[in-house]
Every structure is written in structure tokens, then in C-alpha cells.
């Protein structure tokens, strides 16, 4: 007995050390379970968010699957794109052919510019002729008719005729042995009356018409009402419209000259457009060749999303019992630690 007690007494320090280690381990276990218990709500929330995301992914893929298999299908839409690209390419080819002619756009613009230069030269010659001959001649005609209408003899035609008639009536121009003055007076009475009633009116009308014609020729140009503009000013306006070199308002010749310089750029731009349209059509055709695999791939995505959603739903269903079990473990760990402390 004494030997047994001595042996037992020798083991007491080791027992005390073991109990101390057990107590320390129980405390660590309790702390770890408490930390796990604190993390469980976040785990439960994260699983719930994953489940919601999986449901949204599933719904989105189902919509995509429905659109691919709908009417028109995805392949139909791509085919329409390819057809549209081909039509654009064909249209640009036709435009390029029309620009190349014959006759080409360049040749047409060159011909227009040559014609415009001829019109310009003709208008300039016309203006020179009007200023040198027609205008002064018309002005002189108006002046002469005005003098014939209102001037005194010998310019005034009517008064000159009346003077001659009056002198003839008095016998100043009668040859010897011929009409006596009384006979001349009777013979020229009708002529005198005609001059007063007809000739003077006709001369007045001619003078009025000449003045009106001259006024219509020299009247200024009226852009608001071209019908009231003078002939000379209208021709000048037409000539300016052909020859103007004002950058803000270029004339026909200047505009055609600018167009002539830009035709090569236009042709080059069409060539670039055609090259781009060809690349677009080829790219769409390559893309079209790969569209057959798209619906099958989307079907696989939908199947995978369904499995993911089901698995997350099951996991989400297990998070409640997991949280409860962790709570119980934490409570048990705390009790164990308290008991070890007492021991």
C-alpha cells in the first residue's frame, strides 16, 4: 500500500499538468467555437446571395436560350446582317462603276467647267458690247426722240413740220406762176391738222417708249424682285454669279473648279468605302459560319446553371441546421471550459 501511494503521489504533478493543459485546450476550443459561431451568419448570408445570383443567372440564360430559338432565330438575324452587307457592297460597286464611266464623273465635271468658262466668256463679251454700243445707242435714241417730241425746230419734229407748213401756206416756198398763197393755205390746212392730232402724239408715244426702254435697261438690280431689275444690271448679276471669286459666295466657275479638284478624293473615298464593305461582308460570313454552335453552347450553359441553382438551393437549405449546430457546439464548448476551470 505504501509503495502504491508513493507511486500515485509521484504521478500527481503529471496529473496536475495534464489538467492544466486540458483546461487551456478547453479555453482555446471554446474561443474557436465562439469565433466559428460569429462567422456562421456571414456564411449563411453569402450562401443566400449565391443562391439569388444563381437564380438570376438561370433566368437570364433561359431568356437568351428563348431568343436564340425564337422567331426569327439568332441565325436568321446573322443571315440578315450578311445579306445587308452584300447589298451595301453591291451598291458601292455600282456607284464605283458609274463614277468610272464612260463618261466618268471627272470627264463630266471637266465638260461642265469648260461650258461654264464659255458662258463666262460669252457674258463678258455681251457686257462689253452692251456698254460699248447698245447702251449708248439706246440712250441716244431716247434723247433724240425726246428732242423730236419737245424740242424747237430743227430738233423738234412736229414743230419743224408745222413751221414748214406755215411757211408754205404763206407762199414762201411757192414757185413763180404756181399756187397762190390763198390756195396754199387751203391745201395745207389738212396737213397742219394731221401734225397736231396724229404726228405729235405718235412722236410723244415713241419718245415715251424709248425713255421707258432706256429706264428698263439702266435700272438697278433688285434681288427681292428681279422682274423690276434693269436688263444691264440683270446681266451683270448673272455674270457675277458665273464669275464670282468670293470664297464666301463662289460663282459657278469657281464652284466647278473646286468640285473638279475634289473628284479624285470622292472616287478614292468610294474605293475605301467599297474595301470596308467587302471586309465587313467577309467578317460577317465568317461569323455566320460559327453561329451554328452558339445555341448548343447556350443550352449547355442553361443546363449547368440549372445544376448550380439546384446545388446552391440545397446548400442554402442546409445553412439553417449548420448555424444551429454551431450554436450548440459553442454552448457546449463554453460549458466544457467552465467545468475544466473548476477542475
Amino acid at each position: 500500500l505504501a509503495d502504491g501511494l508513493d507511486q500515485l503521489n509521484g504521478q500527481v504533478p503529471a496529473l496536475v499538468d495534464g489538467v492544466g493543459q486540458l483546461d487551456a485546450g478547453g479555453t482555446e476550443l471554446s474561443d474557436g467555437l465562439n469565433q466559428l459561431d460569429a462567422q456562421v451568419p456571414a456564411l449563411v448570408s453569402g450562401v443566400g446571395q449565391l443562391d439569388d445570383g444563381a437564380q438570376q443567372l438561370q433566368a437570364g440564360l433561359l431568356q437568351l436560350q428563348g431568343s436564340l430559338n425564337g422567331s426569327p432565330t439568332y441565325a436568321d438575324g446573322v443571315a440578315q446582317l450578311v445579306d445587308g452587307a452584300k447589298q451595301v457592297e453591291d451598291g458601292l460597286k455600282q456607284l464605283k462603276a458609274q463614277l468610272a464611266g464612260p463618261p466618268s464623273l471627272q470627264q463630266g465635271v471637266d465638260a461642265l467647267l469648260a461650258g461654264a468658262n464659255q458662258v463666262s466668256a460669252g457674258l463678258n463679251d455681251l457686257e462689253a458690247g452692251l456698254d460699248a454700243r447698245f447702251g449708248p445707242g439706246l440712250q441716244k435714241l431716247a434723247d433724240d426722240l425726246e428732242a423730236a417730241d419737245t424740242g424747237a425746230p430743227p430738233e423738234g419734229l412736229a414743230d419743224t413740220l408745222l413751221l414748214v407748213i406755215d411757211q408754205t401756206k404763206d407762199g414762201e416756198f411757192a414757185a413763180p406762176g404756181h399756187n397762190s398763197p390763198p390756195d396754199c393755205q387751203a391745201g395745207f390746212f389738212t396737213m397742219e391738222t394731221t401734225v397736231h392730232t396724229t404726228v405729235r402724239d405718235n412722236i410723244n408715244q415713241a419718245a415715251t417708249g424709248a425713255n421707258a426702254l432706256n429706264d428698263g435697261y439702266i435700272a438697278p438690280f433688285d434681288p427681292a424682285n428681279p422682274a423690276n431689275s434693269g436688263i444691264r444690271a440683270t446681266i451683270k448679276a448673272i455674270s457675277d454669279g458665273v464669275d464670282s471669286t468670293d470664297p464666301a459666295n463662289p460663282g459657278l466657275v469657281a464652284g466647278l473648279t473646286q468640285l473638279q479638284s475634289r473628284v479624285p478624293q470622292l472616287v478614292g473615298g468610294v474605293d475605301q468605302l467599297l474595301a470596308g464593305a467587302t471586309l465587313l461582308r467577309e467578317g460577317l460570313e465568317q461569323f455566320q459560319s460559327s453561329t451554328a454552335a452558339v445555341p448548343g453552347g447556350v443550352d449547355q450553359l442553361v443546363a449547368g446553371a440549372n445544376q448550380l441553382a439546384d446545388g446552391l438551393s440545397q446548400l442554402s437549405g442546409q445553412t439553417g441546421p449548420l448555424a444551429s449546430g454551431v450554436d450548440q457546439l459553442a454552448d457546449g464548448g463554453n460549458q466544457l471550459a467552465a467545468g475544466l476551470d473548476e477542475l
Side-chain angles (χ1 to χ4, degrees):
L1 178 61
D3 291 338
L5 288 173
D6 287 339
Q7 292 178 356
L8 178 62
N9 187 43
Q11 296 298 323
V12 168
L15 177 62
V16 172
D17 291 339
V19 171
Q21 291 178 0
L22 181 60
D23 182 35
T27 300
E28 292 179 359
L29 176 61
S30 176
D31 292 340
L33 288 171
N34 287 328
Q35 291 178 1
L36 177 60
D37 188 38
Q39 296 298 326
V40 166
L43 174 63
V44 173
S45 176
V47 171
Q49 291 178 356
L50 283 173
D51 187 30
D52 292 340
Q55 298 296 331
Q56 293 178 359
L57 174 63
Q58 183 184 32
L61 287 171
L62 287 173
Q63 289 180 355
L64 176 60
Q65 184 184 42
S67 65
L68 293 177
N69 297 323
S71 179
T73 64
Y74 173 73
D76 292 336
V78 174
Q80 290 177 358
L81 287 175
V82 172
D83 290 341
K86 288 181 179 177
Q87 290 179 4
V88 171
E89 184 182 24
D90 291 341
L92 287 170
K93 286 180 179 178
Q94 291 178 1
L95 177 59
K96 180 179 179 179
Q98 291 175 355
L99 292 177
S104 67
L105 177 63
Q106 185 71 60
Q107 291 171 334
V109 173
D110 292 345
L112 284 175
L113 182 57
N117 283 322
Q118 289 181 354
V119 170
S120 174
L123 285 171
N124 291 332
D125 291 344
L126 175 61
E127 287 185 280
L130 290 175
D131 292 338
R133 295 182 293 276
F134 184 80
L138 183 60
Q139 182 67 55
K140 188 175 186 308
L141 174 63
D143 293 341
D144 290 346
L145 285 173
E146 182 68 21
D149 180 33
T150 60
E155 288 83 6
L157 179 59
D159 288 340
T160 299
L161 288 173
L162 290 173
L163 176 62
V164 172
I165 292 171
D166 188 59
Q167 291 175 344
T168 302
K169 286 193 304 182
D170 293 339
E172 294 182 14
F173 298 119
H178 291 279
N179 295 330
S180 64
D183 293 335
C184 290
Q185 290 178 356
F188 281 98
F189 178 76
T190 301
M191 184 182 295
E192 188 176 33
T193 300
T194 301
V195 171
H196 276 295
T197 59
T198 303
V199 175
R200 186 181 296 279
D201 289 343
N202 291 338
I203 294 173
N204 178 262
Q205 290 177 8
T208 300
N211 283 321
L213 180 60
N214 189 57
D215 291 342
Y217 176 77
I218 64 175
F221 184 71
D222 183 4
N225 192 1
N228 293 334
S229 302
I231 296 173
R232 182 65 185 87
T234 299
I235 293 175
K236 179 65 167 59
I238 295 173
S239 180
D240 290 344
V242 173
D243 293 335
S244 175
T245 56
D246 182 3
N249 189 23
L252 177 62
V253 172
L256 285 172
T257 301
Q258 293 179 2
L259 177 61
Q260 184 185 44
S261 65
R262 293 173 182 171
V263 168
Q265 297 177 356
L266 174 62
V267 175
V270 171
D271 289 340
Q272 291 180 350
L273 284 174
L274 179 57
T278 300
L279 289 174
L280 174 62
R281 188 258 306 160
E282 291 174 349
L284 285 171
E285 287 177 343
Q286 292 177 358
F287 180 63
Q288 185 183 32
S289 65
S290 66
T291 57
V294 173
V298 172
D299 291 340
Q300 291 178 353
L301 286 174
V302 171
N306 290 334
Q307 292 178 359
L308 176 63
D310 292 341
L312 286 172
S313 295
Q314 293 177 3
L315 179 59
S316 178
Q318 297 297 323
T319 54
L322 174 63
S324 176
V326 172
D327 288 340
Q328 292 176 4
L329 283 174
D331 291 340
N334 290 331
Q335 291 177 5
L336 174 62
L340 291 172
D341 287 338
E342 293 177 358
L343 178 61

